[in-house]
Amino acid sequence: MLDPARIAAIADELVGADRDRSIVPLLTARHPEMTVDDAYAVQQLWAERRAAQGARLVGRKIGLTSKVMQVATGITEPDYGVIFDDMVVESGSSVEFDRFSNVRIEVELAFVLAKPLTGPDTTIFDVLDATAYVVPALEILNSHIEMAGRTIVDTISDNAAMGAMVVGGNPVRVDAVDLRWVSALLYRNQTIEESGVAAAVLGHPAMGVAWLANKLAQHGQSLGAGEIILAGSFTRPMWVERGDTVHADYGQLGAITCRFE
């Protein structure tokens, strides 16, 4: 475990990288003894710094829940990060490209909770019972740590690479569709780049939310009513550049579009 002073220094470094849109060297190369618990301590302190600046917590993101994402990153276990109010973007918006670093897009479903969820024994059935509705979402990845050689410790420290989320389409109740078979086509500039099915997320996207509730319990935290939970990507991350238009077609659940300016 790192001492509190080093954890605070890393959190401040990542706050600065977010502010300056800069990239920092691998944390694990500089702190090889750093653990997953250290990484979550850094993330928590980073989140407290953001909250002190006026950001409001509105939800959480789950990452690395599908095999395709684990293969793409070389990381073999899920992780989580926090979502603040200034990270939520409506479909059809223009997104400031320079706001982010190493900009990529992922296709996901978001669960909006009507009831709180508290681990450590949360099941998929608890998640479905607690969910007000599910809505299509795109996650904009924002990585402040150099990409080559990064580990889950680097990623968790960097708020699991959460940059922003674009929400749109048709909200549905969990019993209105078979969530396992929700599919999406991801376009960049009118060309299909990726496609996927939500069952790629741990067999059912609600399983990711159950994992999150149970993982948070290990850190003395829980999920509150009204929180929005990004359940994990079921496509590989797609790189985007300034000027790109991104469109995701979720079939009966509608579509999401944004443009990077």
Side-chain angles (χ1 to χ4, degrees), residues 9 31 100 104 121-122 133 138 159 177 186 190 230 256:
H31 308 283
F100 308 107
R104 290 148 291 147
D121 300 313
T122 298
Y133 59 89
L138 296 174
N159 196 32
V177 297
L186 180 62
Q190 294 80 51
L230 277 174
I256 305 173

Side-chain angles (χ1 to χ4, degrees), residues 104-115:
R104 290 148 291 147
I105 287 283
E106 293 179 353
V107 172
E108 313 203 10
L109 290 176
F111 287 68
V112 179
L113 300 181
K115 303 176 185 178

Side-chain angles (χ1 to χ4, degrees), residues 38-248:
D38 289 329
Y40 278 120
V42 168
Q43 182 190 122
Q44 177 64 28
L45 201 53
W46 175 89
E48 290 172 5
R49 301 278 199 269
R50 288 285 336 267
Q53 296 168 354
R56 179 173 57 88
L57 179 73
V58 296
R60 315 269 181 162
K61 69 149 284 184
I62 312 162
L64 308 174
T65 51
S66 65
K67 189 68 174 178
V68 68
M69 280 302 302
Q70 291 177 358
V71 170
T73 60
I75 299 170
T76 57
E77 61 181 294
D79 63 3
Y80 70 81
V82 297
I83 303 173
F84 288 109
D85 55 340
D86 60 356
M87 296 176 173
V88 181
V89 179
E90 292 184 3
S91 179
S93 297
S94 292
V95 178
E96 182 186 355
F97 183 79
D98 288 338
R99 177 181 168 187
F100 308 107
S101 302
N102 292 308
V103 191
R104 290 148 291 147
I105 287 283
E106 293 179 353
V107 172
E108 313 203 10
L109 290 176
F111 287 68
V112 179
L113 300 181
K115 303 176 185 178
L117 285 171
T118 303
D121 300 313
T122 298
T123 68
I124 184 175
F125 306 107
D126 297 323
V127 173
L128 296 175
D129 179 65
T131 300
Y133 59 89
V134 176
V135 64
L138 296 174
E139 181 179 356
I140 302 172
L141 295 178
N142 181 29
S143 297
H144 301 104
I145 297 173
E146 63 179 318
M147 302 285 286
R150 66 186 176 138
T151 71
I152 193 168
V153 169
D154 297 289
T155 304
I156 290 169
S157 301
D158 195 23
N159 196 32
M162 175 67 191
M165 60 180 293
V166 186
V167 182
N170 301 324
V172 295
R173 296 193 177 275
V174 296
D175 58 355
V177 297
D178 186 344
L179 294 175
R180 299 172 307 154
W181 288 103
V182 172
S183 60
L185 303 173
L186 180 62
Y187 294 77
R188 180 178 55 195
N189 304 327
Q190 294 80 51
T191 299
I192 296 175
E193 298 282 354
E194 295 288 343
S195 62
V197 178
V201 178
L202 299 174
H204 192 296
M207 286 295 297
V209 184
W211 173 88
L212 175 62
N214 294 328
K215 187 69 174 180
L216 285 173
Q218 298 176 18
H219 300 143
Q221 302 175 50
S222 61
L223 298 172
E227 286 198 42
I228 185 167
I229 313 300
L230 277 174
S233 180
F234 48 95
T235 65
R236 294 177 298 179
M238 180 183 77
W239 287 88
V240 293
E241 301 292 342
R242 188 193 316 277
D244 284 346
T245 296
V246 174
H247 178 79

